[in-house]
C-alpha cells in the first residue's frame, strides 16, 4: 500500500429487522461505524452476520430500521447507487476466469462508472500496484494463488473508490499460509482511513485491528465495544461461551 489516505465515511444501521419466512434473522440490530474506523463482527455460524452486511448494502431490504451513510438515510436512494459506495469482498473471489487480472479490476470503473477503457485500466493498474500484484496484470486468475486472487478481488472493489468496505469471511477459503498476506492488506486499509465492517473468525485481527467489535448471536447484537473490553471482559454468558470455543 502507498501512504495515500483513503476517505471512508461513517455508516450506521439503526434497529434493523429482517425475517425469512418465520425465521427472524435480524431482530433489531444497530451498528455504528465512525468514518475511517473498523468494526469487526463476530458470532456463531447462522447468527446473521452475512445478512447484516447484505441488509446494510440493501441486497435485502430491511423490514424496519434505517441505514445512514455519512449521516444521511439511504433507504430512499437508488440501491445501485448505494452499492457503488460500498465495496464488498466475499469468501469466494468471483473473478472472471477468462479475463486477465487487469480486466477483472478495470471492468467496474469501465462498465459501472462509465470511465473510458484506458482510464479504467489505469485505475486498475494503480490498485493492483497497491495490493502488490501489478506484475500479474496480464495473468488469468487461475494462475494466481488463492491469496493473490483475494487481493485482486480487493483491488477490484477499491477501483470503484468506495466510501466503505465490507469483508465477509474474506480469508475463510484460503490455505492457512495465505491468510496472513490478505489480513495484512486489510489492516493497511483499516489504518489508511477506510471505513470497514469485517465479518471474520480471525480473532487476532478482531483484537489488533478493529476499533470496535460487535458480537452477534441469534440475530441480535449482544455486545459491542472496544476489542479489549469484549475479549478480556465479556459481559454475557453467550459471548463467554463463544470465546471459549474460538480462542
Ligand atoms: P452467518 O453469516 O452469521 O453465518 P447468515 O446471515 O448467513 O449467518 O444466516 C442467518 C440466518 O438466516 C440463518 O438461519 C440462515 O439460514 C438464514 N438465511 C440467510 N440467508 C437466507 C436466504 N436468502 N433465505 C432464507 N434464509 C436465509
Ligand atoms: Mg456468513
Amino acid at each position: 500500500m502507498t501512504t495515500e489516505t483513503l476517505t471512508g465515511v461513517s455508516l450506521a444501521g439503526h434497529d434493523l429487522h429482517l425475517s425469512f419466512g418465520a425465521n427472524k434473522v435480524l431482530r433489531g440490530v444497530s451498528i455504528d461505524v465512525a468514518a475511517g474506523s473498523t468494526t469487526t463482527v463476530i458470532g456463531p455460524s447462522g447468527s446473521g452476520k452475512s445478512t447484516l452486511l447484505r441488509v446494510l448494502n440493501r441486497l435485502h431490504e430491511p423490514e424496519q430500521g434505517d441505514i445512514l451513510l455519512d449521516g444521511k438515510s439511504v433507504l430512499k436512494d437508488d440501491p445501485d447507487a448505494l452499492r457503488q459506495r460500498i465495496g464488498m469482498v466475499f469468501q469466494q473471489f468471483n473473478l472472471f476466469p477468462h479475463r486477465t487480472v487487469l480486466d477483472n479490476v478495470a471492468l467496474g470503473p469501465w462498465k459501472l462508472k462509465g470511465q473510458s477503457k484506458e482510464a479504467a485500466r489505469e485505475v486498475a493498474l494503480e490498485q493492483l500496484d497497491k495490493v502488490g500484484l501489478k506484475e500479474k496484470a496480464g495473468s488469468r486468475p487461475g494462475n494466481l494463488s488463492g491469496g493473490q486472487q483475494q487481493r485482486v478481488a480487493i483491488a477490484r472493489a477499491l477501483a470503484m473508490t468506495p466510501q466503505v468496505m465490507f469483508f465477509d469471511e474474506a480469508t475463510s477459503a484460503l490455505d492457512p499460509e495465505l491468510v496472513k498476506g490478505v489480513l495484512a492488506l486489510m489492516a493497511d486499509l483499516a489504518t489508511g482511513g477506510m471505513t470497514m465492517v469485517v465479518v471474520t473468525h480471525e480473532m487476532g485481527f478482531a483484537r489488533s485491528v478493529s476499533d470496535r467489535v460487535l458480537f452477534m448471536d441469534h440475530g441480535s447484537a449482544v455486545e459491542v465495544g472496544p476489542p479489549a473490553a469484549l475479549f478480556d471482559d465479556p459481559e454475557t454468558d453467550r459471548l463467554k461461551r463463544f470465546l471459549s470455543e474460538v480462542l
Side-chain angles (χ1 to χ4, degrees), residues 18-21 23-26 41-54 60 168-169 199 201 216 218-219:
L18 186 76
S19 301
F20 293 112
N23 189 6
K24 286 188 181 167
V25 177
L26 297 182
V41 181
I42 62 173
S45 178
S47 57
K49 305 180 297 295
S50 296
T51 304
L52 174 63
L53 292 187
R54 293 169 69 81
H60 298 303
D168 194 354
E169 301 201 20
V199 173
H201 296 294
M216 281 189 72
H218 285 104

Side-chain angles (χ1 to χ4, degrees), residues 106-139:
L107 273 173
W110 178 39
K111 298 263 186 184
L112 297 174
K113 280 200 149 182
Q115 297 179 1
S116 73
K117 216 167 175 176
E118 293 67 40
R121 286 192 162 156
E122 214 158 286
V123 167
L125 263 188
E126 253 168 58
Q127 293 304 333
L128 285 171
D129 193 25
K130 281 189 198 163
V131 302
L133 290 172
K134 199 176 177 180
E135 79 282 5
K136 298 288 185 189
S139 303

Side-chain angles (χ1 to χ4, degrees), residues 64-131:
Q64 194 183 313
D66 201 0
I67 299 162
L68 295 94
L69 208 54
D70 205 11
K72 289 181 214 71
S73 176
V74 295
L75 284 182
K76 291 199 173 68
D77 298 354
D78 173 13
D80 287 333
L82 172 66
R83 271 173 237 133
Q84 286 207 15
R85 300 172 70 185
I86 301 178
M88 237 189 137
V89 176
F90 307 89
Q91 188 172 329
Q92 279 77 27
F93 330 121
N94 295 324
L95 299 172
F96 294 111
H98 302 298
R99 296 203 182 245
T100 62
V101 161
L102 182 69
D103 281 352
N104 266 280
V105 179
L107 273 173
W110 178 39
K111 298 263 186 184
L112 297 174
K113 280 200 149 182
Q115 297 179 1
S116 73
K117 216 167 175 176
E118 293 67 40
R121 286 192 162 156
E122 214 158 286
V123 167
L125 263 188
E126 253 168 58
Q127 293 304 333
L128 285 171
D129 193 25
K130 281 189 198 163
V131 302

Side-chain angles (χ1 to χ4, degrees), residues 147-162:
Q148 290 172 327
Q149 290 186 55
Q150 191 58 298
R151 277 149 62 199
V152 171
I154 293 170
R156 174 181 56 184
L158 292 174
M160 295 294 287
T161 56

